[in-house]
Amino acid sequence: MVTHPIMSWLNAWNQLMAGFFLLCSFGLIAAAQVTGCMRFYVLQSLFLACSAALLGMLDNSTDLFMVAGIYIIAKVILIPVLLKRTAREAMIARRELVQVIGVPSSLLIALGLTLVAYYIALPLTAGANSGTRIGLPIGLAAVFIAAYTITVRREALPQMLSLLAIENGAFFAGDAIAPHFPLIGELAAVFDVLMIVLVLGVLSTQVHRSLGNTTVGSLAQLGED
Amino acid sequence: MWIGLTLLLPVVAILITALPVRAAVAGTAAALLAALNVAVAATIAVQLAGHSPVTLVPGWLAIDSFGGIVLLLETFGALTALLFSVGYLKSPHISDRRLKRYLLWLHLFLLALYAIPLLNELALVWLALTLTTLFSVFLVSFERTPAALEAGWKYALLTTLGAALALLGILLLYWALTKAGGSDFTWHGLTRAAGEMPGSIVSLAFLLMLVGFGTKAALIPFHAWLPDAYSQAPFPVCAMLSILESVAIPYVILRLVGTIGAAHGSHAPQWLLVFGLVSAGGAALLILQTREYKRLFAYSTIENTGIILTAGAMASNHLKQAALWQMIAHGFTKPVIFLAAGIMFVLVGKLRISEVRGVLSASWVVGSVVMLAGLALAGAPPFAIFLSELAILKSGMVGSQAWVVMLLAAFMIVSFCAITYHLFRMVLGKAPEDSARDRSVIAIACWWALVVALVPVVVLGWWMPPFLHHLITGGAAALGGTSP
Amino acid sequence: MPRMIAYNLLQVAVVLLASPLAVGVLNRLKERVQSKQGSSIFQVYRDIWKLFHKDQIISDQSTWIFRFTPYLIFAAPILVTLLIPVLTSYPLFFAFMGDMLGAGFVLALGGFFAALAAVDTGNPYGAMGASRTRMVGFLAEPVFMVVFFTVCFVANSTIPYIVQQTWVHPKSNFFDPSHVLIVIAFFMLVLAETGKIPVDNPSGHFELAMIDESKSLEYSGAGAALVKWGGCMKFFVLLCVLLNVLIAPWGLASGTGIGDVAWAIPLVLLKILAAILAITVVESSLAKLRLFRITAFLGLALVVAVAAMLARMMRI
């Protein structure tokens, strides 16, 4: 289907980015410390940006190049800086994170989710180009895995980073299936991500100050008794 | 021009709050601006009823009949909530700075809320919806107690999770749009391309959006955050959250079904029907077993959202009209009940239903106001909700889907009994000796807010203004209603 | 034909002679990173030489397994060397004897006997080390399996000489995600199998914390020398599999001339040096994991391997 040799190189690189992107989702589950989670998130965003740029070359879409630039600025540079400013205390607490379900079982569950995503995407991508066939299942899988990570993580910041990873997954799929998505939509999403970091970062600092830790998973005062 | 004014007024309010003035001044100014905004929304509504479309920037900022209803409800709710906040938060324990921050977040929240019916580009509608969450997080956790922070965290996390899922749905929907050869990602553009869109993609997109926005609207089973957030948030914030959940989000969901329901094999209306019924039924049961009156009213919001979605999902034009009527009736009633409950809380200082007794004997004014508001909410005549629920039952009893309406009727009866049961337990009986404080602790602004909020509830029970009637018929047509 | 046999024996000679050097270089590099002087890169040769000249003491409580195991540990990597491409990118005389699965089994046999021998003497540390090695081993097993399956899936073959060509024909295959992910997974496996940080600390001297080393505590003299040498060769062979089979056949001799093969020796050693540098970076920048976090490490390796397989599935 792809004839030009350059195209096949670009496709291969795009697939590679997809693989690394998915690995970062797994890393977010397995990371033992808050800073580790953060590094995996930043890496994932970097791969997202690379993939956007590669897809931009494949689809001749200048929008996607701008999108890649926006990702780099917002997610790779701004978010770590913002987080370090708003949630410094929770961030530098160097202790091992607790999880509701252990890391190996979580990884296996995440693998299962990847398969589910693959089979959901399979009928939709029939006849689509190779970017879509890779992007949609990987993006869906990243969304599912990140949603699962939110439920097993008990600390505020890892939960928040998984939340942002969902957005990454959505856009990994989005860049592939809708390369001409209005730029205003991408900007809206990035604005939203930054607001999430600001608001939840400040909130987690408040939680940290009032409770001494950020194990929000063990907050169970409220509830219908 | 009017649309611009709607968005401009909250911005002015933000600027006034940012000025170095006292919080009371900023609050009063905000209430005045909110009153002005109600007038603007009413003007827009009257214009829309006269069949003249209101557009500011074609393709970006425009409003139709359905949006007009939503805008009217939002601005009115905002007016009562702001008025009430001025009185409710006037306390020596709350510093001026905190109060101003509260006002600031509330204005930002309102700005995002008003933008929802005005924006046409779907990605921006999504952004506005997400921002309503993020701007209301600090309103929910306003008390800063560990419990309030916990509630705020859960609220923020779960609803943002929902928004992220909805984002994936939006992207998939855009994919379907491009597959149908369209590129105009507005309500209008979607309607035009809907017939050509591939059903399987639309199906997945709609399901993701339904789950995502449903989490924000606390549809059952995605309501985990709701009991906590409502029990911790200040009363006026509860009122505004209710408006968001039972007016703004159903607006988006019903709009979606109205536009993409035409895609072959999308099954969107059926999905919506199931979710609506589960929410209405589940909430009716939750109302039965709840122990806090704030949560009681929160569950009633879910129930009404469920009823609106169910009725709106059905094909009949009459039912769609009745759904809009229900939205209007509930949207006007909800602020009343939360404000009345707020006044009651100031008086008795307790949140649990079992600890509140004999409000009527402690203060007959407060007692009778709570009673009145509660009956209006439960759906007793002669209030607005009674009429709108009756309209749903009447127009749904014909045809093959009558069983749906029968189920809804059962849920309405359960919730009616449950609400009145809890209400009578609180209002009637003998007040404990020490509990009640003097009625004079209730600020005058709170009373004003309540009086203003009561006007439409009482009026709509007797008389429907003609412009509202036009809006409802126009709105139902925009939802793709067909004559039976 | 005799030339093929000669090359095959040359391969064995290279592995025999160069493997202690590889370990010596790795040790030296790690010590330099830690700002130590470090022992000479030839220290491992001296150790082996010294051990061969020492008396061997064998517990009279032990059985034949204890005496037999050093020979097996020494012979297993040599056998594997006959099967895999070390210097040439075409199969040599003995390569017909087994494919990659066969090579894996032979290496596993050596590990199995090492564990048995550790239990055999009755030394408590030996049994502890054996059980820990088995724990790491059975966690690594599924990863090995998935890696092999994925390789078969991608290359339609388990013959190493066919597998190595798939990655570079066409050249864009090199960046195929399944290829890169397999390499990552196998690299993690090499770390676990040869007892490197973050799974085990090879330079630790505290018996209670040892995993790999404690199995051979009871050996002395020639037995100890064989075990040590066998360990070096296993490390070298695994690196060869990683570099030559799973990454790319670059640097291997494709011609049959004596000059081609001779030129391949320095190139292969250079590749090994690059891998050693990578291992040094990993070992110097990570800390040893708690025993019960090793499951997470190998779980991650499994996920990487399965992701490689998924990546392959999605492309089709």
Side-chain angles (χ1 to χ4, degrees):
Chain A
M1 191 163 59
V2 181
T3 46
H4 201 275
I6 297 286
M7 288 301 204
S8 76
W9 279 95
L10 290 180
N11 258 323
W13 280 336
N14 186 35
Q15 287 171 21
L16 187 60
M17 290 305 127
F20 284 146
F21 181 84
L22 193 61
L23 273 195
C24 290
S25 297
F26 287 107
L28 263 174
I29 294 186
Q33 285 179 345
V34 178
T35 37
C37 287
M38 168 97 155
R39 263 181 225 136
F40 275 117
Y41 173 74
V42 170
L43 263 181
Q44 193 185 38
S45 309
L46 194 64
F47 293 131
L48 176 66
C50 292
S51 163
L54 287 168
L55 282 171
M57 279 187 234
L58 279 167
D59 287 323
N60 276 329
S61 160
T62 42
D63 273 11
L64 278 179
F65 282 104
M66 295 215 266
V67 165
I70 293 171
Y71 289 157
I72 296 265
I73 293 170
K75 298 187 173 180
V76 181
I77 299 170
L78 265 177
I79 284 183
V81 172
L82 271 180
L83 260 186
K84 273 180 193 143
R85 299 198 116 203
T86 56
R88 186 160 189 83
E89 295 156 45
M91 187 86 162
I92 54 176
R94 291 182 71 87
R95 70 202 126 73
E96 222 169 282
L97 300 175
V98 237
Q99 295 201 351
V100 183
I101 298 177
V103 172
S105 339
S106 288
L107 288 173
L108 286 179
I109 292 173
L111 269 180
L113 289 173
T114 314
L115 276 178
V116 169
Y118 174 65
Y119 281 109
I120 289 181
L122 199 57
L124 300 182
T125 53
N129 62 3
S130 108
T132 308
R133 282 211 311 275
I134 290 287
L136 188 62
I138 297 275
L140 268 181
V143 168
F144 291 162
I145 293 173
Y148 170 76
T149 315
I150 292 182
T151 61
V152 290
R153 289 285 191 191
R154 307 182 68 141
E155 304 251 341
L157 283 184
Q159 281 189 347
M160 185 183 90
L161 287 167
S162 322
L163 194 63
L164 301 179
I166 292 193
E167 212 118 3
N168 270 358
F171 269 102
F172 193 85
D175 292 338
I177 59 180
H180 302 284
F181 191 69
L183 201 58
I184 186 97
E186 304 267 1
L187 283 173
V190 166
F191 178 66
D192 175 59
V193 164
L194 292 178
M195 284 306 299
I196 290 177
V197 172
L198 263 179
V199 169
L200 294 196
V202 170
L203 190 63
S204 78
T205 307
Q206 286 180 0
V207 172
H208 194 262
R209 284 200 187 130
S210 95
L211 301 180
N213 63 46
T214 52
T215 324
V216 284
S218 59
L219 289 178
Q221 283 192 24
L222 299 169
E224 201 77 48
D225 33 299
Chain B
M1 201 261 307
W2 294 111
I3 293 178
L5 206 55
T6 304
L7 294 178
L8 192 66
L9 289 172
V11 175
V12 174
I14 291 171
L15 291 179
I16 291 178
T17 318
L19 289 177
V21 291
R22 287 200 8 256
V25 178
T28 316
L32 281 175
L33 288 170
L36 208 57
N37 221 347
V38 174
V40 172
T43 315
I44 293 177
V46 170
Q47 272 189 19
L48 285 167
H51 298 292
S52 47
V54 181
T55 308
L56 187 65
V57 188
W60 296 92
L61 281 171
I63 194 165
D64 68 349
S65 307
F66 192 7
I69 295 173
V70 172
L71 192 65
L72 191 62
L73 290 171
E74 286 172 355
T75 48
F76 188 77
L79 167 64
T80 57
L82 271 168
L83 253 179
F84 194 83
S85 298
V86 171
Y88 179 69
L89 296 174
K90 199 156 60 178
S91 144
H93 304 298
I94 301 170
S95 72
D96 222 37
R97 197 155 148 263
R98 242 178 104 200
L99 203 54
K100 279 179 80 176
R101 210 174 283 165
Y102 168 87
L103 284 173
L104 199 65
W105 285 116
L106 190 56
H107 291 318
L108 282 169
F109 170 77
L110 290 175
L111 187 61
L113 191 65
Y114 297 158
I116 295 172
L118 295 175
L119 289 169
N120 284 22
E121 169 90 12
L122 237 70
L124 292 181
V125 173
W126 171 84
L127 177 67
L129 258 182
T130 319
L131 289 183
T132 55
T133 293
L134 292 175
F135 290 150
S136 53
V137 169
F138 291 113
L139 297 175
V140 170
S141 68
F142 176 72
E143 303 284 349
R144 291 275 194 93
T145 56
L149 289 172
E150 176 189 346
W153 182 264
K154 280 185 187 163
Y155 170 63
L157 194 75
L158 288 176
T159 50
T160 324
L161 171 64
L165 289 180
L167 174 67
L168 186 56
I170 295 263
L171 289 163
L172 282 169
L173 191 61
Y174 184 78
W175 188 31
L177 180 71
T178 49
K179 281 208 159 187
S183 63
D184 180 17
F185 201 38
T186 58
W187 294 117
H188 186 59
L190 274 175
T191 316
R192 253 185 320 183
E196 309 283 315
M197 295 204 277
S200 54
I201 298 176
V202 173
S203 228
L204 182 61
F206 179 71
L207 209 57
L208 280 167
M209 282 190 272
L210 189 58
V211 171
F213 293 144
T215 312
K216 264 190 79 58
L219 293 185
I220 292 170
F222 312 116
H223 66 292
W225 60 267
L226 175 121
D228 300 348
Y230 271 83
S231 77
Q232 294 303 319
F235 284 90
V237 174
C238 289
M240 281 327 288
L241 285 182
S242 273
I243 295 279
L244 170 66
E245 276 152 33
S246 66
V247 176
I249 297 174
Y251 160 79
V252 177
I253 296 181
L254 286 178
R255 258 262 135 99
L256 271 173
V257 175
T259 44
I260 65 181
H264 291 296
S266 73
H267 301 300
Q270 287 88 330
W271 280 114
L272 188 59
L273 195 71
V274 171
F275 271 77
L277 274 178
V278 168
S279 294
L285 297 179
L286 284 171
I287 292 175
L288 263 180
Q289 56 90 56
T290 189
R291 293 175 189 182
E292 258 183 37
Y293 54 86
K294 256 177 159 178
R295 289 180 181 176
L296 168 74
F297 303 137
Y299 290 137
S300 122
T301 302
I302 309 185
E303 197 219 352
N304 278 286
T305 311
I307 293 174
I308 293 167
L309 291 180
T310 312
M314 304 229 263
S316 141
N317 196 30
H318 286 301
L319 262 175
K320 283 188 195 296
Q321 290 183 11
L324 292 185
W325 196 355
Q326 174 80 8
M327 184 188 268
I328 294 172
H330 178 255
F332 277 130
T333 311
K334 226 9 168 314
V336 180
I337 188 70
F338 271 115
L339 302 192
I343 285 181
M344 184 166 81
F345 177 71
V346 174
L347 194 70
V348 299
K350 301 277 197 320
L351 276 178
R352 294 177 76 86
I353 294 172
S354 56
E355 288 170 348
V356 184
R357 285 286 175 273
V359 179
L360 202 57
S361 66
S363 155
W364 70 269
V365 189
V366 176
S368 51
V369 162
V370 171
M371 190 69 147
L372 222 63
L375 285 175
L377 180 71
F383 298 106
I385 290 190
F386 171 71
L387 290 179
S388 60
E389 287 186 345
L390 205 62
I392 290 180
L393 299 185
K394 208 173 71 186
S395 34
M397 277 303 178
V398 287
S400 60
Q401 285 185 313
W403 60 274
V404 175
V405 176
M406 286 184 197
L407 271 179
L408 279 187
F411 299 149
M412 286 172 189
I413 292 168
V414 170
S415 76
F416 177 85
C417 297
I419 292 177
T420 43
Y421 166 68
H422 289 308
L423 195 67
F424 286 157
R425 283 215 302 169
M426 289 192 293
V427 175
L428 302 180
K430 198 175 165 318
E433 291 301 314
D434 55 334
S435 68
R437 277 178 257 171
D438 192 43
R439 184 153 55 87
S440 61
V441 296
I442 302 166
I444 194 80
C446 295
W447 286 114
W448 272 112
L450 202 58
V451 169
V452 171
L454 264 171
V455 171
V457 178
V458 175
V459 170
L460 285 178
W462 298 99
W463 176 65
M464 163 81 81
F467 81 93
L468 218 49
H469 187 72
H470 284 298
L471 281 185
I472 289 178
T473 36
L479 287 183
T482 50
S483 303
Chain C
M1 193 56 67
R3 180 179 274 190
M4 289 295 148
I5 299 177
Y7 288 165
N8 222 335
L9 294 178
L10 179 66
Q11 254 184 204
V12 173
V14 167
V15 171
L16 268 175
L17 295 177
S19 59
L21 182 67
V23 174
V25 170
L26 177 62
N27 290 341
R28 170 85 181 204
L29 273 174
K30 264 164 58 186
E31 307 229 308
R32 296 298 300 190
V33 171
Q34 293 164 6
S35 308
K36 294 185 200 162
Q37 182 64 41
S39 48
S40 151
I41 56 172
F42 302 107
Q43 185 60 40
V44 186
Y45 294 105
R46 290 180 200 147
D47 287 348
I48 292 174
W49 183 258
K50 180 185 73 185
L51 284 170
F52 269 121
H53 290 84
K54 291 224 169 187
D55 280 344
Q56 191 170 6
I57 298 171
I58 294 175
S59 159
D60 52 10
Q61 302 291 312
S62 63
T63 61
W64 62 273
I65 291 178
F66 185 76
R67 274 169 288 264
F68 170 69
T69 298
Y71 302 105
L72 192 72
I73 292 178
F74 183 74
I78 294 181
L79 211 59
V80 173
T81 312
L82 293 175
L83 309 177
I84 60 164
V86 176
L87 298 176
T88 59
S89 62
Y90 48 86
L92 295 170
F93 184 70
F94 290 108
F96 73 92
M97 295 197 302
D99 56 5
M100 281 165 62
L101 276 174
F105 283 138
V106 172
L107 280 183
L109 187 71
F112 175 68
F113 267 90
L116 276 190
V119 184
D120 194 31
T121 57
N123 178 343
Y125 295 129
M128 203 165 65
S131 72
R132 285 178 184 169
T133 325
R134 284 300 91 196
M135 191 194 100
V136 176
F138 88 73
L139 290 170
E141 207 67 23
V143 193
F144 259 124
M145 283 310 177
V146 176
V147 167
F148 277 129
F149 288 156
T150 314
V151 166
C152 304
F153 194 34
V154 175
N156 289 321
S157 166
T158 54
I159 314 287
Y161 298 93
I162 298 178
V163 171
Q164 61 180 355
Q165 296 303 326
T166 1
W167 309 126
V168 287
H169 289 105
K171 283 216 165 43
S172 62
N173 264 3
F174 186 77
F175 291 103
D176 194 290
S178 45
H179 178 218
V180 178
L181 295 177
I182 284 175
V183 169
I184 295 175
F186 198 80
F187 185 69
M188 291 169 88
L189 273 184
V190 171
L191 291 181
E193 269 304 296
T194 55
K196 304 279 178 243
I197 288 175
V199 175
D200 188 7
N201 186 357
S203 48
H205 296 290
F206 181 48
E207 289 91 341
L208 280 174
M210 284 178 181
I211 296 182
D212 213 33
E213 301 279 312
S214 57
K215 283 184 302 181
S216 51
L217 282 177
E218 283 290 297
Y219 282 107
S220 56
L226 287 178
V227 169
K228 198 177 178 77
W229 203 347
C232 296
M233 283 196 291
K234 184 183 170 194
F235 176 61
F236 195 90
V237 162
L238 280 174
L239 282 186
C240 281
V241 172
L242 175 70
L243 293 169
N244 295 347
V245 181
L246 292 179
I247 292 186
W250 293 328
L252 297 188
S254 52
T256 52
I258 187 84
D260 290 328
V261 178
W263 175 234
I265 295 177
L267 286 180
V268 167
L269 289 182
L270 215 61
K271 275 168 87 173
I272 298 269
L273 180 68
I276 284 173
L277 279 173
I279 292 178
T280 313
V281 171
V282 171
E283 283 212 276
S284 307
S285 53
L286 294 181
K288 183 172 176 280
L289 289 169
R290 257 190 308 127
L291 191 65
F292 294 108
R293 289 290 292 197
I294 292 176
T295 48
F297 178 79
L298 287 168
L300 202 59
L302 177 69
V303 164
V304 175
V306 175
M309 185 172 258
L310 285 177
R312 188 62 192 185
M313 273 165 66
M314 282 175 200
R315 213 178 60 155
I316 292 165

